[in-house]
Amino acid sequence: MPTVVIVGAQWGDEGKGKVVDFLTEKADVVARYQGGHNAGHTVVIGGEKFVLHLVPSGIFRQGKLCIIGGGTVVDPYCLIEEIEGIKANGIDVSGRLLLSKGAHLIMPYHMAIEQANEGAKKIGTTGRGIGPAYVDKASRSGLRVGDLLYPALFRERLQTNLRHITALLKAVYGVAPEGLSPDEIYEGYMRCAGTLGQYIADTDIVVNEAIDAGKNVLFEGAQGALLDIDHGTYPYVTSSSASAGGACTGLGVGPTKIDRVLGVVKAYTTRVGGGPFPTELRGPLGETLRERGGEYGATTGRPRRCGWLDFVGLRHSVRVNGFTGLAITKLDILDGIEEIKVCTAYRYKGELMTEFPKEAAVLEAVEPVYETIEGWQEGTTGLKDFEALPPSARRYIRTIAEMLGVPVHLISTGADRGSLIMLDGQFG
Ligand code: IMP
């Protein structure tokens, strides 16, 4: 397992945290490449649930180096709180966690802009200032983690940004922002710098040195490929490159150094926030999946929209990520459902459509074309052996591999660390 990128193949919440946690056993370094604390990665260890937002889930395995890469956006207060929470669970992070100098800082004014803006856009964001922080990055006015090490410059640029943003909020949104005192923000961020200073590093050097030394490196994506700023259901997307390519830009690693790309596919589909979702189940079956799958946002607690597996969206995901293997998660949530549907194409204005449309308005208007697969009545929770799965569950897994043309390496059969089937020993 030399270098592997782990990507959510759908709209996030596929259960990447557990897959990363499992693979970390064999890894030396785990590096997160994009997103911010909009993500929520849940890991269940010995029945206890841990939710991480920014720190890679590899932190739960002793001796592994965890990196928050330059492609991420970081709210320093939230990161400190997360680190404190990890330490409070008896996990030693010292010398095991690095934060890239190139990661952009989420500032209090990003939250203010997002609140003002979201009313008009209805994206259903997590409200954490993620989008506006990436806007500043692209407009070259962002403040980065490395800037915390140069207080005078930091203060000056903060003041410039605040002047601009206060004027914008007033003129465009008619909002007089509160709590945006330059001195208070500056002092608060400098206090954070004092705490986080020990973690700040040139992480691109560290990651590349690890790869060159032949170490096993995992690249952890957040959200999912269908929320990718370029390849997702724009504008209903997050503001970063959640798909596999983001690992290269977000960590400063050349594409030639990536060996494998593992797509994490939930056995059904969920989406949180606004945007098109052709296979959404709006009735009782959707509710059943939500309740059984615990489909509530790990970050915001919002109920997730639930639906059938969508091979049109997944084929697009396979293409833009170049998956070399799949991990299927939450298979056990489908236990006891008599008939399972899978979407193989869409119908749009009477025509059959087999490719994922680029326009959200088209995706909003398509009708899913389903095939029905026989379900299984037996419980699969906690199974560790493929042959122990009911025949229909095995057929379901094979259908996924065949429809996507990608081998399935892992199947998750429950929240706990051990509830996992390894199919071909690739990651054993
Ligand atoms: P933002 O990332 O907060 O800007 O939100 C943009 C969209 O991405 C919204 O629909 C969010 O619900 C969604 N989103 C952001 N992070 C996650 C995640 O970790 N899982 C699932 N959806 C997410």
Side-chain angles (χ1 to χ4, degrees), residues 159-176:
Q159 279 165 341
T160 309
N161 284 358
L162 267 177
R163 262 197 308 277
H164 173 79
I165 274 148
T166 313
L168 177 83
L169 282 169
K170 269 197 202 126
V172 178
Y173 301 104
V175 179

Side-chain angles (χ1 to χ4, degrees), residues 11-13 38-40 123-127 130 223 227 237-238 272-274 302:
W11 280 290
D13 309 315
N38 46 351
I123 307 270
T125 69
T126 57
I130 307 294
Q223 290 84 45
L227 284 173
V237 291
T238 192
V272 60
R302 290 180 292 175

Side-chain angles (χ1 to χ4, degrees), residues 278-295:
T279 61
E280 182 169 9
L281 288 163
R282 293 171 200 270
L285 199 49
E287 301 257 322
T288 304
L289 288 177
R290 182 177 309 125
E291 291 314 314
R292 293 181 53 184
E295 298 295 355

